[in-house]
Amino acid sequence: MRAAIFRGPGTVEIGDRPDPVIQEPTDAIVRVVLSCVCGSDLWYFRGQSPHAVGSIGHEFIGVVEQIGSQVQGISPGDLVVAPFLYSDLTCPHCRNGSVISCVRGGGFGNGDADGGQCQAVRVPLAGATLVPVPGSGHSEQTLRSLLALSDVMSTGHHAAVSAGVSKGDTVAVVGDGAVGLCAVLAAARLGAERIIALSRHPHRQELARAFGATDIVAARGAEAEQTVLDLTGRIGVNAALECVGTEQSIATAFAIARPGSTLGIVGVPHGQVPFATTFFRNVGWRGGPAPARLYIPDLMTDVLAGTIDPGRVFDHETDLEHVADAYRAMDERRAIKSMIRVGSL
Ligand SMILES: [Zn+2]
């Protein structure tokens, strides 16, 4: 089959990998319909995080082609959303809500396991992992929004949930990448009254507003911090959502958080939490990789009802043969998020 291959920093190219086959009775084979490039794929592409040579990509929706003898809950022909990690939902960590720590779990596209950016994927623990999409004849926009549940919208939602966003809150979102924009949408969905989006790019500011941002702060660093504090009467925000992971964005998020609040951090950390200053302000943080599998059913209900449309973050599209362009477009910041059209329903 055709598949994106990570060759090393700066090089992702189309190539061939063996067709996946059922190896365990709990496996399913999913034919990929839509995939996309993650912000974390960009860390690998830019050489800022290590990645093994080989398969890459972990966000996809597709159609179940074949299931192992012990798979329950999905059938061949089902349209399914795959969370970015697989899990069994039954181990002690899963039952405690941390499905990303599943003792039998693992990831897609790690160099060895099939990645989402390919024609078909062997999905382990498929009955627990894959979420079937009810109904049929879904629109293109709905399919794009379902793809967003695989990671980016679930991750934005995790930032908001981790920070305890609730009705009437004032929220600030640090980061105007696809995750940050989804965090704006998630905060609005949870009832935030005021949402301050930190963004310097007109195209992204526009989408942030469409997703529910009430204020845009175009500054960065110390200037951004002062602007957000001025907007909140020098109090700070109830919930600062950190969706980048750099030293500066982490520092900004902590600086604008009101004393006693909890930050939601979902940017893959490439900087340090300022431990002592947070201690003396009673500021905490939660977050980490999103338990997407647990969030997808509720978010899917809203996507299918048309009340959220996170698929709007995909503003660049290629086919699988041009996957290299999907990476370049994001690397050069021509795209917020690249979608890869792999197959048809
Ligand atoms: Zn588990």
Side-chain angles (χ1 to χ4, degrees), residues 258-260 274-284:
R258 69 183 294 170
F275 186 53
T277 55
T278 65
F279 178 86
F280 287 106
R281 294 173 61 230
N282 267 302
V283 167

PDB file of all heavy atoms in Angstrom, residues 258-260 274-284:
ATOM      1  N   ARG A 258      -5.132  33.722  36.733  1.00  0.00           N
ATOM      2  CA  ARG A 258      -5.401  34.401  38.004  1.00  0.00           C
ATOM      3  C   ARG A 258      -4.956  33.510  39.168  1.00  0.00           C
ATOM      4  O   ARG A 258      -4.948  32.283  39.057  1.00  0.00           O
ATOM      5  CB  ARG A 258      -6.868  34.777  38.132  1.00  0.00           C
ATOM      6  CG  ARG A 258      -7.815  33.616  38.308  1.00  0.00           C
ATOM      7  CD  ARG A 258      -9.275  34.088  38.349  1.00  0.00           C
ATOM      8  NE  ARG A 258      -9.552  34.903  39.522  1.00  0.00           N
ATOM      9  CZ  ARG A 258     -10.687  35.597  39.699  1.00  0.00           C
ATOM     10  NH1 ARG A 258     -11.635  35.566  38.768  1.00  0.00           N
ATOM     11  NH2 ARG A 258     -10.872  36.305  40.790  1.00  0.00           N
ATOM     12  N   PRO A 259      -4.583  34.104  40.291  1.00  0.00           N
ATOM     13  CA  PRO A 259      -4.170  33.300  41.438  1.00  0.00           C
ATOM     14  C   PRO A 259      -5.261  32.299  41.809  1.00  0.00           C
ATOM     15  O   PRO A 259      -6.447  32.621  41.766  1.00  0.00           O
ATOM     16  CB  PRO A 259      -3.981  34.342  42.546  1.00  0.00           C
ATOM     17  CG  PRO A 259      -3.637  35.602  41.808  1.00  0.00           C
ATOM     18  CD  PRO A 259      -4.446  35.550  40.541  1.00  0.00           C
ATOM     19  N   GLY A 260      -4.851  31.107  42.134  1.00  0.00           N
ATOM     20  CA  GLY A 260      -5.815  30.082  42.528  1.00  0.00           C
ATOM     21  C   GLY A 260      -6.396  29.284  41.387  1.00  0.00           C
ATOM     22  O   GLY A 260      -7.177  28.364  41.614  1.00  0.00           O
ATOM     23  N   PRO A 274       7.242  27.174  35.361  1.00  0.00           N
ATOM     24  CA  PRO A 274       7.914  28.014  36.386  1.00  0.00           C
ATOM     25  C   PRO A 274       7.414  27.631  37.779  1.00  0.00           C
ATOM     26  O   PRO A 274       6.491  28.235  38.310  1.00  0.00           O
ATOM     27  CB  PRO A 274       7.520  29.438  35.995  1.00  0.00           C
ATOM     28  CG  PRO A 274       6.245  29.296  35.223  1.00  0.00           C
ATOM     29  CD  PRO A 274       6.247  27.936  34.595  1.00  0.00           C
ATOM     30  N   PHE A 275       8.020  26.625  38.348  1.00  0.00           N
ATOM     31  CA  PHE A 275       7.506  25.954  39.540  1.00  0.00           C
ATOM     32  C   PHE A 275       7.345  26.889  40.742  1.00  0.00           C
ATOM     33  O   PHE A 275       6.279  26.972  41.351  1.00  0.00           O
ATOM     34  CB  PHE A 275       8.440  24.783  39.870  1.00  0.00           C
ATOM     35  CG  PHE A 275       7.971  23.909  40.984  1.00  0.00           C
ATOM     36  CD1 PHE A 275       6.693  23.359  40.972  1.00  0.00           C
ATOM     37  CD2 PHE A 275       8.803  23.608  42.047  1.00  0.00           C
ATOM     38  CE1 PHE A 275       6.257  22.533  42.004  1.00  0.00           C
ATOM     39  CE2 PHE A 275       8.380  22.790  43.077  1.00  0.00           C
ATOM     40  CZ  PHE A 275       7.105  22.259  43.056  1.00  0.00           C
ATOM     41  N   ALA A 276       8.406  27.636  41.090  1.00  0.00           N
ATOM     42  CA  ALA A 276       8.350  28.456  42.298  1.00  0.00           C
ATOM     43  C   ALA A 276       7.301  29.561  42.193  1.00  0.00           C
ATOM     44  O   ALA A 276       6.533  29.785  43.130  1.00  0.00           O
ATOM     45  CB  ALA A 276       9.725  29.058  42.592  1.00  0.00           C
ATOM     46  N   THR A 277       7.232  30.241  41.045  1.00  0.00           N
ATOM     47  CA  THR A 277       6.268  31.344  40.946  1.00  0.00           C
ATOM     48  C   THR A 277       4.840  30.817  40.957  1.00  0.00           C
ATOM     49  O   THR A 277       3.945  31.461  41.499  1.00  0.00           O
ATOM     50  CB  THR A 277       6.494  32.191  39.677  1.00  0.00           C
ATOM     51  OG1 THR A 277       6.451  31.325  38.546  1.00  0.00           O
ATOM     52  CG2 THR A 277       7.809  32.910  39.720  1.00  0.00           C
ATOM     53  N   THR A 278       4.608  29.631  40.388  1.00  0.00           N
ATOM     54  CA  THR A 278       3.247  29.094  40.419  1.00  0.00           C
ATOM     55  C   THR A 278       2.883  28.695  41.846  1.00  0.00           C
ATOM     56  O   THR A 278       1.757  28.879  42.276  1.00  0.00           O
ATOM     57  CB  THR A 278       3.091  27.885  39.487  1.00  0.00           C
ATOM     58  OG1 THR A 278       3.894  26.813  39.969  1.00  0.00           O
ATOM     59  CG2 THR A 278       3.521  28.213  38.080  1.00  0.00           C
ATOM     60  N   PHE A 279       3.852  28.189  42.567  1.00  0.00           N
ATOM     61  CA  PHE A 279       3.618  27.781  43.963  1.00  0.00           C
ATOM     62  C   PHE A 279       3.108  28.957  44.800  1.00  0.00           C
ATOM     63  O   PHE A 279       2.108  28.855  45.503  1.00  0.00           O
ATOM     64  CB  PHE A 279       4.926  27.230  44.555  1.00  0.00           C
ATOM     65  CG  PHE A 279       4.834  26.827  45.998  1.00  0.00           C
ATOM     66  CD1 PHE A 279       4.401  25.559  46.357  1.00  0.00           C
ATOM     67  CD2 PHE A 279       5.171  27.726  47.004  1.00  0.00           C
ATOM     68  CE1 PHE A 279       4.307  25.194  47.692  1.00  0.00           C
ATOM     69  CE2 PHE A 279       5.082  27.363  48.336  1.00  0.00           C
ATOM     70  CZ  PHE A 279       4.658  26.088  48.684  1.00  0.00           C
ATOM     71  N   PHE A 280       3.777  30.089  44.675  1.00  0.00           N
ATOM     72  CA  PHE A 280       3.413  31.217  45.530  1.00  0.00           C
ATOM     73  C   PHE A 280       2.177  31.963  45.062  1.00  0.00           C
ATOM     74  O   PHE A 280       1.742  32.919  45.698  1.00  0.00           O
ATOM     75  CB  PHE A 280       4.622  32.157  45.704  1.00  0.00           C
ATOM     76  CG  PHE A 280       5.668  31.541  46.605  1.00  0.00           C
ATOM     77  CD1 PHE A 280       6.855  31.045  46.089  1.00  0.00           C
ATOM     78  CD2 PHE A 280       5.426  31.420  47.968  1.00  0.00           C
ATOM     79  CE1 PHE A 280       7.802  30.461  46.919  1.00  0.00           C
ATOM     80  CE2 PHE A 280       6.371  30.833  48.802  1.00  0.00           C
ATOM     81  CZ  PHE A 280       7.555  30.346  48.270  1.00  0.00           C
ATOM     82  N   ARG A 281       1.599  31.540  43.933  1.00  0.00           N
ATOM     83  CA  ARG A 281       0.328  32.139  43.491  1.00  0.00           C
ATOM     84  C   ARG A 281      -0.802  31.108  43.555  1.00  0.00           C
ATOM     85  O   ARG A 281      -1.886  31.353  43.049  1.00  0.00           O
ATOM     86  CB  ARG A 281       0.476  32.699  42.085  1.00  0.00           C
ATOM     87  CG  ARG A 281       1.455  33.885  42.013  1.00  0.00           C
ATOM     88  CD  ARG A 281       1.713  34.296  40.565  1.00  0.00           C
ATOM     89  NE  ARG A 281       0.492  34.718  39.907  1.00  0.00           N
ATOM     90  CZ  ARG A 281       0.093  34.256  38.719  1.00  0.00           C
ATOM     91  NH1 ARG A 281       0.821  33.385  38.058  1.00  0.00           N
ATOM     92  NH2 ARG A 281      -1.027  34.685  38.184  1.00  0.00           N
ATOM     93  N   ASN A 282      -0.518  29.939  44.104  1.00  0.00           N
ATOM     94  CA  ASN A 282      -1.527  28.878  44.162  1.00  0.00           C
ATOM     95  C   ASN A 282      -2.074  28.523  42.787  1.00  0.00           C
ATOM     96  O   ASN A 282      -3.263  28.250  42.631  1.00  0.00           O
ATOM     97  CB  ASN A 282      -2.691  29.286  45.074  1.00  0.00           C
ATOM     98  CG  ASN A 282      -2.477  28.805  46.491  1.00  0.00           C
ATOM     99  OD1 ASN A 282      -2.324  27.606  46.723  1.00  0.00           O
ATOM    100  ND2 ASN A 282      -2.431  29.729  47.427  1.00  0.00           N
ATOM    101  N   VAL A 283      -1.203  28.572  41.800  1.00  0.00           N
ATOM    102  CA  VAL A 283      -1.628  28.228  40.442  1.00  0.00           C
ATOM    103  C   VAL A 283      -1.193  26.794  40.136  1.00  0.00           C
ATOM    104  O   VAL A 283      -0.048  26.427  40.388  1.00  0.00           O
ATOM    105  CB  VAL A 283      -1.020  29.214  39.411  1.00  0.00           C
ATOM    106  CG1 VAL A 283      -1.179  28.700  37.990  1.00  0.00           C
ATOM    107  CG2 VAL A 283      -1.686  30.579  39.551  1.00  0.00           C
ATOM    108  N   GLY A 284      -2.103  26.021  39.638  1.00  0.00           N
ATOM    109  CA  GLY A 284      -1.777  24.638  39.278  1.00  0.00           C
ATOM    110  C   GLY A 284      -1.931  24.405  37.787  1.00  0.00           C
ATOM    111  O   GLY A 284      -2.317  25.310  37.043  1.00  0.00           O
TER     112      GLY A 284
END
